[in-house]
Amino acid sequence: TSQKHQDFVAEPMGESLAGIGEVLGKKLEERGFDKAYVVLGQFLVLKKDEDLFQGVAKGHIGANAKQSWD
Amino acid sequence: TSQKHQDFVAEPMGESLAGIGEVLGKKLEERGFDKAYVVLGQFLVLKKDEDLFQGVAKGHIGANAKQSWD
Amino acid sequence: MDDYAVLSDAELAAVLRQYNIPHGPVVGSTRKLYEKKIFEYET
């Protein structure tokens, strides 16, 4: 992987989620995903299975395909 | 935090879990926690709440206090 | 979908394995999704 990728991966993920704006952020918070790392945790518990994870994203917050992909 | 801590945090967690031996590892695998990152995911989903997480560890695999703490 | 709610996490995981549905651990944050996957599979 590139140095850029390594730098990105090495830094703490902080509290922001790419692709999630105000409205979806609110919906996520209401369902307990009030920190970016909780969303990451859900992805990991689903074994990084993108279909399953998108199922959760759509089910929980009605994210559309693009948003859940982001 | 110390440089040592930063180096540790920066490196990928890989597939091993400190403090978990053969027997507990098998039990975790049987319950779907077959990769270290899945256990991490569960910890994050529980919002890094150590009591909750230890409860899951004890409930799922009968880990004792020390093992679940590790 | 309600009849899955009576299954234990381990029983639900056994059904997922039986149907070859890819899954991780059945825990609080994933259980509902897996129940839905089984329902979709059966219907």
Side-chain angles (χ1 to χ4, degrees):
Chain A
T1 54
S2 69
Q3 184 55 45
K4 187 164 179 278
H5 172 80
Q6 276 174 342
D7 292 347
F8 173 73
V9 166
E11 70 180 21
M13 73 181 294
E15 300 305 337
S16 62
L17 268 186
I20 299 286
E22 204 57 35
V23 173
L24 284 184
K26 207 99 212 87
K27 284 190 178 176
L28 276 170
E29 265 184 56
E30 283 155 15
R31 281 156 187 77
F33 296 95
D34 59 337
K35 295 279 185 204
Y37 66 74
V38 180
V39 179
L40 169 63
Q42 181 68 20
F43 179 60
L44 294 178
V45 161
L46 292 171
K47 302 193 69 178
K48 306 182 193 173
D49 179 309
E50 283 158 15
D51 289 344
L52 286 176
F53 183 69
Q54 292 200 36
V56 169
K58 286 179 198 145
H60 273 308
I61 59 171
N64 64 35
K66 173 161 176 4
Q67 285 159 331
S68 56
W69 175 253
D70 288 347
Chain B
T1 54
S2 69
Q3 183 56 45
K4 188 165 178 279
H5 172 79
Q6 274 173 344
D7 293 348
F8 174 73
V9 167
E11 73 180 25
M13 71 180 294
E15 298 305 336
S16 61
L17 267 187
I20 298 285
E22 205 58 32
V23 172
L24 284 185
K26 204 96 211 89
K27 282 192 181 175
L28 277 170
E29 264 183 60
E30 281 156 15
R31 282 158 187 75
F33 295 94
D34 61 340
K35 297 279 184 202
Y37 67 75
V38 181
V39 179
L40 170 63
Q42 176 67 1
F43 180 60
L44 295 177
V45 163
L46 295 174
K47 303 183 75 170
K48 305 183 194 175
D49 179 312
E50 283 158 15
D51 291 343
L52 273 180
F53 184 68
Q54 291 201 35
V56 167
K58 285 178 196 144
H60 271 298
I61 59 171
N64 64 37
K66 176 165 173 0
Q67 286 159 331
S68 55
W69 173 253
D70 288 346
Chain C
M1 267 203 5
D2 297 345
D3 45 357
Y4 306 123
V6 296
L7 295 179
S8 71
D9 290 350
E11 287 162 341
L12 207 76
V15 175
L16 289 164
R17 262 192 305 278
Q18 181 192 339
Y19 292 165
N20 260 331
I21 297 171
H23 64 284
V26 178
V27 289
S29 68
T30 62
R31 188 181 167 102
K32 270 279 161 270
L33 177 75
Y34 291 136
E35 287 177 6
K36 190 161 158 253
K37 286 285 176 190
I38 292 173
F39 177 73
E40 284 166 2
Y41 181 89
E42 288 181 345
T43 49

